[in-house]
Amino acid sequence: MTLTIGIDLGTSGVKAVILQDAETVLADAAQPIAVSIPHVGWSEQNADDWVAAVWSCLDSLAASAPQAMAAVSAIGLSGQMLCALLLDKALKPLRPAILWNDQRSIAECADLLARCPDIGQRTNGTPDPGITAPKLLWLAKHEPQVMRDARMLLLTKDYVRLALTGEVASEPTDAGGTQLMDCRTGEWDAQLCDIAGWNPDHLPPITSAWKAAGGLRAQLAQRWGMKPGIPVAAGAGDNMASTLGAGAARPGDAVLTIGTSGVACIVDATFHPGPQRAILTSAHAAPDTFLSMGVVMSATAALDWTARLSATTAATLAGEAEAMDPRKLTEAPVFLPCLTGIRTPANRPQATGRLEGLHPGVDRAMMGYATMEGVAFQFADCITAQREVGAIPARFIAVGGGTRSTLWTTLIATAIGEPVALPARSDIGGPAGAARLAAVAAGASTDVLSAPLPMRGTIDPDPALAERLAPRKARFDALV
């Protein structure tokens, strides 16, 4: 019996779980994290808030499961990707981290593409304001003193691992999102660094996601009743860890994450970049694989927005949409819910949402349905684009908060025309993936990364729903 801890650093909070044999949850804890929006389109967090939230979760686990904590053999990390966190020579943050959903560096994306026209074929994709390199160009222009003082660039989970171990490191899944790494080789690229104005000496060493990247500090081990020096795995970016946590480590495995944003992740044996379709492609957290990612910028965030307008909760709105007479669905508006832009496949970060087909009979249940349908159509567009560039899915699994709605999952299965399996625990993908990486760091075979998970069911495409969706998809496409 092997016990590991998986820690997932999401945008809105941290979740930590103790897993037995990288599958059975023994204890879990969660802690929210605030996001700062200093200006419209900006999104930042204080890096030390990440550490404080992780410490709070581990304090809770130590209090609720002290015997399990004493038996933990390794820790793994998963984290929100694409941030820009600059540290000084003492490895302290110089400013708040600029997050993945920050839009301030749109102009710098064009500059980056002009300087390196083939960057999308070498890195994770077309320059986008969410990615790290354009943020560095923006900082050089608007906060030059910060850039002059910077001596290290770290990503979210890597900063927390620094706090846990005192060691600086990263790995290809997360580092591949910086556009400073050649994703085909998994190595930092001096030319890309020069184009982005960053000294490659100020980047962390790279190791494999499943290898140890430091040991737990003795004073922290004492605080939590753990063994000092246990390995802390390099870990993975959240999309890769969630994919791994859903049991997807073989080429053809595909995971649809219906979370704040939506991501269609397809495991691939070959590096198939798709910059022309705004597909992100990076190393996966399993040996000899890559991950093709199509991104829906607003998924459950879009339903939350519709619910706020309707003076209700997202869960209530989803329930009302599910209870609607199916014949009324054709009377609902058609909604393009790109409230924070479009990434895959159009790459239009400044795009806004559009609504078509309002009439006096529209109620909030119809609006909830239109929102979920619009997100489902966006997932279908992602999968189509990924297939076009050579990333071919063979099996689909859905995870994330959106899977609590049978209607929403059915809409997605029908829109993509494929059955979608649902794991027994769809809410711990990131921590579970991190825990699997920790198990390998503690000495387990990498075979544990592809061990299948128990499923609670499969959602098949609905032929009758497909007939109703076809003309609505044509109307949706006209809005894009």
Side-chain angles (χ1 to χ4, degrees):
M1 181 177 73
T2 301
L3 301 189
T4 55
I5 292 178
I7 300 171
D8 179 52
L9 293 121
T11 310
S12 58
V14 170
K15 180 177 285 187
V17 300
I18 302 175
L19 272 81
Q20 177 181 314
D21 298 326
E23 182 176 311
T24 304
V25 176
L26 301 184
D28 62 85
Q31 181 69 27
I33 303 176
V35 176
S36 173
I37 305 175
H39 303 282
V40 175
W42 291 26
S43 183
E44 299 182 348
Q45 282 177 331
N46 289 317
D48 288 324
D49 288 349
W50 303 334
V51 176
V54 170
W55 274 210
S56 177
C57 286
L58 294 177
D59 286 343
S60 295
L61 292 178
S64 65
Q67 290 183 322
M69 287 288 274
V72 164
S73 59
I75 298 171
L77 297 165
S78 160
Q80 56 167 307
M81 299 175 65
L82 312 181
C83 86
L85 174 63
L86 277 58
L87 309 182
D88 64 15
K89 61 183 179 182
L91 299 179
K92 301 297 183 184
L94 287 162
R95 69 173 322 282
I98 305 176
L99 303 186
W100 64 274
N101 54 353
D102 189 284
Q103 298 294 304
R104 77 186 72 180
S105 58
I106 290 175
E108 286 72 24
C109 293
D111 293 344
L112 195 60
L113 189 58
R115 296 181 193 187
C116 187
D118 68 340
I119 191 169
Q121 297 294 330
R122 298 163 60 183
T123 69
N124 63 325
T126 300
D128 180 277
I131 293 170
T132 309
K135 298 181 176 83
L136 297 177
L137 293 177
W138 186 94
L139 287 167
K141 192 181 300 181
H142 298 279
E143 299 182 18
Q145 189 60 48
V146 168
M147 290 291 282
R148 283 192 291 268
D149 293 342
R151 292 296 179 271
M152 182 58 61
L153 172 69
L154 282 187
L155 300 160
T156 304
K157 72 173 190 337
D158 299 332
Y159 184 71
V160 171
R161 191 183 340 91
L162 170 64
L164 286 167
T165 68
E167 301 292 332
V168 172
S170 193
E171 46 69 44
T173 73
D174 214 359
T178 63
Q179 295 201 317
L180 305 177
M181 171 175 277
D182 184 319
C183 286
R184 196 181 299 271
T185 65
E187 298 177 353
W188 296 121
D189 188 299
Q191 183 192 24
L192 293 172
C193 290
D194 182 63
I195 290 167
W198 189 257
N199 184 341
D201 293 336
H202 299 162
L203 291 169
I206 297 295
T207 188
S208 298
W210 52 88
K211 291 185 177 179
L216 182 64
R217 287 175 164 176
Q219 64 270 36
L220 294 176
Q222 184 178 19
R223 172 175 173 167
W224 299 316
M226 302 175 72
K227 291 172 285 191
I230 61 170
V232 180
D238 55 1
N239 290 320
M240 294 76 175
S242 293
T243 301
L244 201 62
R250 302 166 298 162
D253 289 345
V255 176
L256 307 176
T257 300
I258 317 168
T260 303
S261 60
V263 188
C265 295
I266 302 173
V267 183
D268 201 343
T270 305
F271 182 62
H272 283 122
Q276 71 278 14
R277 303 295 275 158
I279 293 164
L280 302 179
T281 311
S282 201
H284 189 27
D288 304 317
T289 56
F290 296 89
L291 199 67
S292 172
M293 294 167 281
V295 179
V296 178
M297 291 296 288
S298 297
T300 61
L303 191 63
D304 289 339
W305 177 82
T306 305
R308 286 196 304 273
L309 285 187
S310 306
T312 188
T313 66
T316 298
L317 191 61
E320 291 176 359
E322 195 140 4
M324 283 174 55
D325 184 331
R327 291 170 297 184
K328 286 188 67 177
L329 301 184
T330 58
E331 300 173 12
V334 173
F335 185 22
L336 174 64
C338 56
L339 304 178
T340 52
I342 299 173
R343 184 164 291 169
T344 311
N347 195 29
R348 291 169 51 204
Q350 292 175 298
T352 55
R354 296 184 179 185
L355 189 63
E356 185 265 336
L358 288 174
H359 58 84
V362 172
D363 57 22
R364 73 183 193 183
M366 287 182 176
M367 289 295 297
Y369 169 80
T371 305
M372 292 190 285
E373 179 190 71
V375 171
F377 286 154
Q378 288 183 295
F379 269 110
D381 287 346
C382 287
I383 297 298
T384 297
Q386 289 167 284
R387 284 189 168 116
E388 287 173 358
V389 303
I392 309 300
R395 305 161 286 279
F396 285 91
I397 297 170
V399 298
T403 60
R404 287 192 287 267
S405 168
T406 301
L407 171 61
W408 209 345
T409 315
T410 303
L411 280 166
I412 291 172
T414 304
I416 67 174
E418 299 280 355
V420 176
L422 301 174
R425 288 290 302 266
S426 66
D427 58 333
I428 59 164
R436 287 186 170 210
L437 294 170
V440 178
S445 165
T446 54
D447 290 345
V448 74
L449 302 178
S450 57
L453 292 182
M455 296 290 160
R456 61 182 168 92
T458 298
I459 303 293
D460 291 314
D462 182 332
L465 180 60
E467 288 187 18
R468 288 193 291 269
L469 291 185
R472 294 178 62 82
K473 180 60 165 65
R475 290 166 61 192
F476 175 88
D477 290 342
L479 297 176
V480 176

